[in-house]
Amino acid sequence: MINIFDNCYVLETKNTTYAMRVLKSGHIEHLYYGPHITIREEKDAEALIGKCVFNPGNTLIYDDENPISLENMCLEISSNGKGDLREPFVEIIHSDGSRTSDFLFESVKILDEKPVYETLPTAYDDGSKTTAPLQTLEIVLRDKNYNIRLITYFTVFYDTDVITRQNILINDSDENIRVSRLMSMQLDLDRDDFVFTTFNGAWAREMGRNDIKVRSGKHINSSMTGTSSNRANPFVMISRDSTNESKGGCYGFNLVYSGNHYECMEVNSFRQSRLVCGINPETFEYILGKGEKLEAPEAVMTFSIGGYGGMSLNMHEFVREHIVRGTHKYKDRPILLNSWEACYFNINERKLLNLAKKGAEVGIELFVMDDGWFGDRSDDTKALGDWDPDLNKLPGGLKGIANKVNALGLQFGIWVEPEMVNENSNLYKKHPEWTMSIPGKGHSKGRNQMLLDLTNEHVQNFIINKMTEVFSSANIAYVKWDMNRIASDFFSQSMGAMGQGEMPHRYVLGLYRVMKELTERFPDILFEGCASGGNRFDLGILCYFPQIWASDNTDAISRGTIQTGYSYGYPMSVIGAHVSGSPNHQTLRRTPLETRFNVASFGILGYECNLCDATADELSAIKEQIALYKKLRPMMQWGSFYRGRCFNSETEPELLEWTVVSKDKKNAVSLLLQRMVTPNMPMRKIFIRGLLPDVRYTLTNRELKYSIKEFGDLVNTVSPIHIKQNSAALSAIDKVYKMNGEKERITGYGDTFMSFGVNLKQGFIGTGYNEEVAHFQDYGSRLYLIDSEE
Ligand code: DGJ
């Protein structure tokens, strides 16, 4: 809901309020963003207005008629040169060389729709789930000294407690201007006691949470990789010291963008905090000629008084309902088997079909042929760009293998990396000028490959046409779209010297054009984004591809942290997660098969291991896992996700808890995962979240059986005969006899399960073992099923 009360504009979502007003000077003052407050007319906002009459010493007075100091105010749009010394929202170099901008109010109106960008993807509302009609506040500002327009739009997504912001800069003057910064959002808050949280990492170590108390100066979270990056995700949070998972104020912010981004949290000398988010100005310059416009990526903002967890629920619903689109928006995702960690580049039709056959036997629904199927691709030094099947490996081409996989009852999917080229490829020989490189100068390589220049329309058309040929050459149900290097040598051979500063942003625009065209041509294909795992995990990609491979690290323990990190800003329905072999290929850590499944099932479940080498026990365990997941799938993929203790509790730093709850809250599944055993701690407890307090539930565990080999030579304490470790006798007994794991069946009300938690059967502490004791070892985990009595 949006109200204009004279000079005061108030935006309301279900539980939040955002307020601003136009000053006499024409600047837009930010008044409030937080829990819902009542403003029914302009005077109700009086308490929010700053009461400074005499400006602080050594600050600037804006002008004689408006003796305000912009340095000491909360604003919606800031710029350089008029006394506000903080991070600007917009920076322009005018044709006379001046860098001063001063955007003042021109007009305002309420729209009953949301602006659609010409160049960038945006959030949308099809109205099917919303209780309040979509509204947008449009404010037009114009530079006082130059004929440049800035239109800023605030759209209210009432039910999800999200407000988005879009900005368009239009050059109405006759001169060229150089835009060196156009942010997507600015939030000024009149206090300095916030915690700024960012999610940082590296390849195989994405989304580590970092909290920093910004008390003065700046903290910057940004990407320079050409992508949204695994170093710094564009999703960030602001909260208070006292905020926790379920209580306290928490703001969440994200960008609908896949390129270099920038989020800066600053505290000024007057204890005011400012957050700006947008395209990274360090790698950005854009020339706007007469009449030309520039669109800034849409910014997404939410607030919850229900802690990090409340904020995450808002973001999850927003991403599911207003970002992801198309055929697969709410379609259950198939359980896939990917060939990469089973075969790497060493694939051929026979090997792949053997793998697919084993997959079909255990219940897999989609078989994905990863890298290695095209050109002369026997390793990562060659063939990217040559997208014709290698007929030595696939004698019947894509169609041949797709039909055979389909005949096994499975859907068929492939891997592609269309944005790249190897120098050792036919494409490079034909079009060296299509690469991102500076002619005549050496260039850097990542994974032996170069980026294609997606700013060039010929390159975009080549990718669109070639991929259209590939995708229509067989019955392809799924495509994994990979991107395995970061950008360097930013240079487009199709643009003049003046335009080179636009290259990083224009690359992203070119990519969006390609993705839009292909997803429109192939609406039924399920696309999964990937960039060496999570090097481009963002809302821009999710506007086209409904899911993203979260990390090349498939180790369940690492994934506990990585998936927890993603869960702050992204729902489980967009996070690809696979069960892989043990020892793990990225960490060499050995983890139980059940733990690998338990963690991967809190995401879009897949398998990525050599099922042909699996033992009969492993295959039957996998079959059971898949059968269970199929039963739970609607809840696991579309339910509400809650974090509990996630390796961050002061008393239990080794434990991680996740819960997913069905839409009607009648059913839930919880995971308890342990890193290292704490010796001699018999008490075990789990806290469930998201249940209805006054409903009675029963908690049961997924019952497991254990190999006696798990107990080493302790078996001799109960065995009538002495059994040697690694002996044939031990293997023979193990084949026919398995130990029963503990059985849990506990009934109680939702409020008990949530506030006290549930005391579970004790763990093994070295003083005895029977079926009342949980075998809960290093890297052990359990799934608990919680069902209401109704
Ligand atoms: C990197 C991806 O993240 C992997 O899953 C795999 O697809 C390889 N690329 C293939 O080259």
Side-chain angles (χ1 to χ4, degrees):
M1 229 134 20
I2 301 178
N3 280 303
I4 297 182
F5 301 120
D6 298 321
N7 289 323
C8 179
Y9 313 146
V10 182
L11 286 61
E12 289 175 306
T13 69
K14 213 179 212 166
N15 302 294
T16 70
T17 301
Y18 191 112
M20 65 195 102
R21 68 165 181 154
V22 184
L23 297 175
K24 203 164 100 325
S25 65
H27 297 98
I28 315 280
E29 184 183 18
H30 174 79
L31 295 179
Y32 178 81
Y33 185 31
H36 187 270
I37 55 173
T38 309
I39 305 177
R40 298 217 173 96
E41 49 187 306
E42 194 173 14
K43 75 172 193 296
D44 297 337
E46 216 174 325
L48 307 172
I49 291 169
K51 307 287 187 298
C52 183
V53 180
F54 299 101
N55 286 310
N58 196 228
T59 63
L60 296 177
I61 298 299
Y62 175 64
D63 65 17
D64 291 345
E65 290 81 56
N66 301 283
I68 51 172
S69 160
L70 296 175
E71 186 183 349
N72 175 36
M73 303 184 69
C74 292
L75 297 164
E76 292 293 347
I77 304 257
S78 288
S79 52
N80 281 337
K82 299 303 289 181
D84 183 356
L85 308 177
R86 292 163 288 180
E87 285 277 320
F89 183 88
V90 53
E91 278 183 296
I92 295 169
I93 305 172
H94 301 283
S95 56
D96 60 5
S98 152
R99 285 159 163 81
T100 295
S101 293
D102 191 13
F103 283 94
L104 302 180
F105 176 82
E106 188 172 276
S107 66
V108 66
K109 65 175 176 229
I110 298 172
L111 313 174
D112 56 7
E113 58 185 12
K114 185 174 183 300
V116 175
Y117 276 160
E118 284 169 21
T119 57
L120 289 163
T122 51
Y124 71 102
D125 184 9
D126 63 16
S128 59
K129 276 186 132 192
T130 34
T131 58
L134 187 84
Q135 280 188 315
T136 299
L137 182 73
E138 177 197 277
I139 306 176
V140 180
L141 300 106
R142 193 172 293 276
D143 193 296
K144 188 176 177 184
N145 304 304
Y146 300 91
N147 198 8
I148 301 165
R149 219 179 336 150
L150 177 55
I151 314 182
T152 187
Y153 300 94
F154 293 83
T155 300
V156 173
F157 291 86
Y158 183 83
D159 294 272
T160 52
D161 283 328
V162 163
I163 294 172
T164 69
R165 199 164 163 182
Q166 289 171 259
N167 298 279
I168 304 178
L169 191 72
I170 305 162
N171 182 7
D172 290 328
S173 76
D174 294 332
E175 317 287 342
N176 280 0
I177 56 169
R178 270 157 58 200
V179 184
S180 48
R181 159 189 304 232
L182 178 62
M183 286 290 115
S184 296
M185 60 146 291
Q186 166 178 335
L187 180 65
D188 284 4
L189 298 164
D190 68 342
R191 44 200 299 172
D192 65 346
D193 56 348
F194 292 107
V195 178
F196 182 42
T197 302
T198 62
F199 294 86
N200 307 94
W203 175 79
R205 189 164 30 84
E206 293 87 348
M207 294 302 280
R209 176 177 158 173
N210 284 303
D211 292 338
I212 176 153
K213 293 178 192 175
V214 186
R215 293 289 177 267
S216 66
K218 303 178 186 181
H219 184 79
I220 293 169
N221 181 66
S222 70
S223 148
M224 303 275 281
T225 56
T227 60
S228 45
S229 103
N230 46 27
R231 278 71 163 176
N233 195 271
F235 170 75
V236 297
M237 308 192 294
I238 296 180
S239 60
R240 290 269 158 76
D241 275 344
S242 54
T243 302
N244 62 31
E245 237 348 276
S246 54
K247 281 198 196 78
C250 181
Y251 298 89
F253 307 92
N254 211 339
L255 286 177
V256 186
Y257 193 57
S258 309
N260 291 342
H261 60 90
Y262 180 85
E263 295 76 36
C264 177
M265 178 78 173
E266 177 177 12
V267 172
N268 73 358
S269 310
F270 303 103
R271 298 206 176 140
Q272 292 158 331
S273 301
R274 168 171 295 174
L275 175 72
V276 292
C277 304
I279 296 178
N280 192 344
E282 281 189 49
T283 54
F284 177 80
E285 183 182 66
Y286 212 90
I287 297 171
L288 284 187
K290 181 181 174 184
E292 287 179 343
K293 64 180 180 189
L294 174 65
E295 297 169 331
E298 185 169 17
V300 177
M301 312 184 268
T302 191
F303 174 84
S304 172
I305 200 68
Y308 309 122
M311 185 281 307
S312 293
L313 290 174
N314 294 350
M315 278 294 185
H316 293 176
E317 185 56 16
F318 179 77
V319 173
R320 280 190 296 252
E321 182 57 22
H322 302 296
I323 291 290
V324 175
R325 58 202 76 192
T327 322
H328 296 278
K329 179 172 178 175
Y330 286 120
K331 204 166 165 190
D332 283 355
R333 308 289 160 73
I335 303 167
L336 66 79
L337 173 62
N338 178 299
S339 65
W340 181 241
E341 288 197 15
C343 313
Y344 293 103
F345 292 101
N346 190 6
I347 56 172
N348 58 49
E349 190 177 279
R350 184 187 42 79
K351 223 172 149 180
L352 292 171
L353 287 175
N354 283 342
L355 192 57
K357 193 160 170 269
K358 278 278 175 246
E361 280 166 25
V362 294
I364 293 287
E365 298 162 322
L366 161 69
F367 179 74
V368 179
M369 175 173 67
D370 208 281
D371 200 349
W373 59 267
F374 51 90
D376 179 24
R377 183 82 169 160
S378 47
D379 58 38
D380 65 13
T381 62
K382 48 188 176 227
L384 284 174
D386 300 342
W387 297 106
D388 295 309
D390 178 349
L391 296 178
N392 294 319
K393 292 177 181 172
L394 307 174
L398 285 178
K399 197 173 193 156
I401 184 160
N403 289 347
K404 288 179 187 161
V405 168
N406 288 164
L408 294 169
L410 301 177
Q411 293 180 305
F412 176 70
I414 54 164
W415 174 97
V416 291
E417 194 177 1
E419 297 157 70
M420 299 287 169
V421 64
N422 289 116
E423 277 168 291
N424 187 355
S425 70
N426 296 329
L427 181 66
Y428 183 80
K429 275 175 210 132
K430 213 165 146 198
H431 285 296
E433 80 286 4
W434 277 6
T435 55
M436 195 188 280
S437 58
I438 312 161
K441 315 275 188 286
H443 58 262
S444 304
K445 275 192 261 179
R447 210 194 186 202
N448 309 300
Q449 61 200 52
M450 297 172 77
L451 273 156
L452 286 172
D453 172 11
L454 264 75
T455 67
N456 180 339
E457 223 176 299
H458 297 295
V459 176
Q460 296 166 16
N461 292 341
F462 163 79
I463 297 176
I464 292 168
N465 295 336
K466 198 66 209 176
M467 288 302 125
T468 298
E469 192 186 311
V470 171
F471 301 161
S472 39
S473 69
N475 189 17
I476 291 170
Y478 162 103
V479 167
K480 177 174 171 187
W481 183 293
D482 207 345
M483 197 273 190
N484 281 306
R485 66 157 290 180
I486 61 172
S488 68
D489 304 281
F490 284 101
F491 195 90
S492 167
Q493 297 184 40
S494 68
M495 291 199 297
M498 283 304 284
Q500 296 301 334
E502 300 178 6
M503 217 248 165
H505 180 55
R506 282 196 183 274
Y507 181 93
V508 181
L509 300 185
L511 172 69
Y512 288 152
R513 183 190 155 222
V514 168
M515 290 165 80
K516 181 170 188 294
E517 190 63 42
L518 287 168
T519 48
E520 278 171 8
R521 286 188 192 183
F522 298 94
D524 294 330
I525 290 183
L526 171 62
F527 285 88
E528 177 157 357
C530 174
S532 303
N535 195 37
R536 199 166 57 187
F537 199 113
D538 58 67
L539 300 184
I541 296 296
L542 289 171
C543 285
Y544 302 99
F545 299 167
Q547 60 189 60
I548 304 177
W549 179 228
S551 176
D552 276 359
N553 189 344
T554 53
D555 172 89
I557 303 304
S558 306
R559 278 294 188 126
T561 308
I562 293 169
Q563 290 174 214
T564 296
Y566 281 116
S567 77
Y568 284 91
Y570 303 91
M572 293 191 309
S573 57
V574 305
I575 300 172
H578 296 173
V579 174
S580 61
S582 179
N584 175 268
H585 292 201
Q586 293 76 42
T587 60
L588 288 182
R589 186 168 14 224
R590 290 173 196 273
T591 54
L593 180 56
E594 288 309 321
T595 291
R596 284 174 267 151
F597 164 72
N598 293 345
V599 172
S601 66
F602 280 76
I604 299 301
L605 176 70
Y607 286 75
E608 188 168 336
C609 47
N610 196 343
L611 294 182
C612 297
D613 287 355
T615 64
D617 281 352
E618 285 168 336
L619 287 174
S620 88
I622 290 174
K623 199 170 177 174
E624 278 176 33
Q625 293 172 349
I626 291 177
L628 175 72
Y629 186 81
K630 284 180 181 169
K631 265 198 240 150
L632 300 175
R633 173 160 41 195
M635 174 165 51
M636 301 308 285
Q637 296 189 352
W638 311 110
S640 304
F641 175 85
Y642 297 84
R643 290 171 298 273
R645 298 170 289 182
C646 290
F647 301 143
N648 59 358
S649 134
E650 271 176 33
T651 50
E652 296 278 15
E654 297 299 305
L655 292 183
L656 175 142
E657 291 163 328
W658 293 336
T659 296
V660 62
V661 182
S662 66
K663 291 247 173 304
D664 60 7
K665 294 184 179 283
K666 287 189 173 164
N667 310 91
V669 175
S670 288
L671 165 73
L672 185 65
L673 169 66
Q674 169 166 268
R675 283 193 298 214
M676 294 294 129
V677 164
T678 308
N680 195 20
M681 284 298 287
M683 293 296 281
R684 291 193 321 124
K685 191 182 210 175
I686 184 166
F687 291 93
I688 316 294
R689 287 180 186 261
L691 304 178
L692 293 168
D694 51 356
V695 166
R696 188 184 279 131
Y697 294 89
T698 300
L699 174 145
T700 53
N701 63 326
R702 173 143 193 262
E703 289 169 28
L704 299 171
K705 295 206 182 287
Y706 292 97
S707 159
I708 54 168
K709 290 181 176 173
E710 294 278 324
F711 297 84
D713 60 11
L714 276 179
V715 290
N716 288 312
T717 60
V718 290
S719 165
I721 52 156
H722 186 80
I723 309 169
K724 259 195 183 170
Q725 288 293 291
N726 302 323
S727 63
L730 184 66
S731 294
I733 300 170
D734 183 48
K735 273 216 173 90
V736 291
Y737 176 73
K738 296 281 182 247
M739 316 250 304
N740 286 325
E742 86 285 6
K743 278 192 189 144
E744 304 275 13
R745 188 176 182 84
I746 300 162
T747 297
Y749 276 90
D751 52 8
T752 314
F753 283 15
M754 292 189 290
S755 59
F756 176 83
V758 180
N759 272 331
L760 302 166
K761 294 218 162 124
Q762 77 160 95
F764 178 80
I765 54 167
T767 50
Y769 182 83
N770 64 18
E771 290 175 9
E772 296 300 306
V773 174
H775 180 269
F776 201 63
Q777 74 284 38
D778 287 355
Y779 312 133
S781 68
R782 286 289 184 286
L783 282 190
Y784 296 97
L785 310 178
I786 300 113
D787 301 298
S788 79
E789 282 190 348
E790 290 139 38

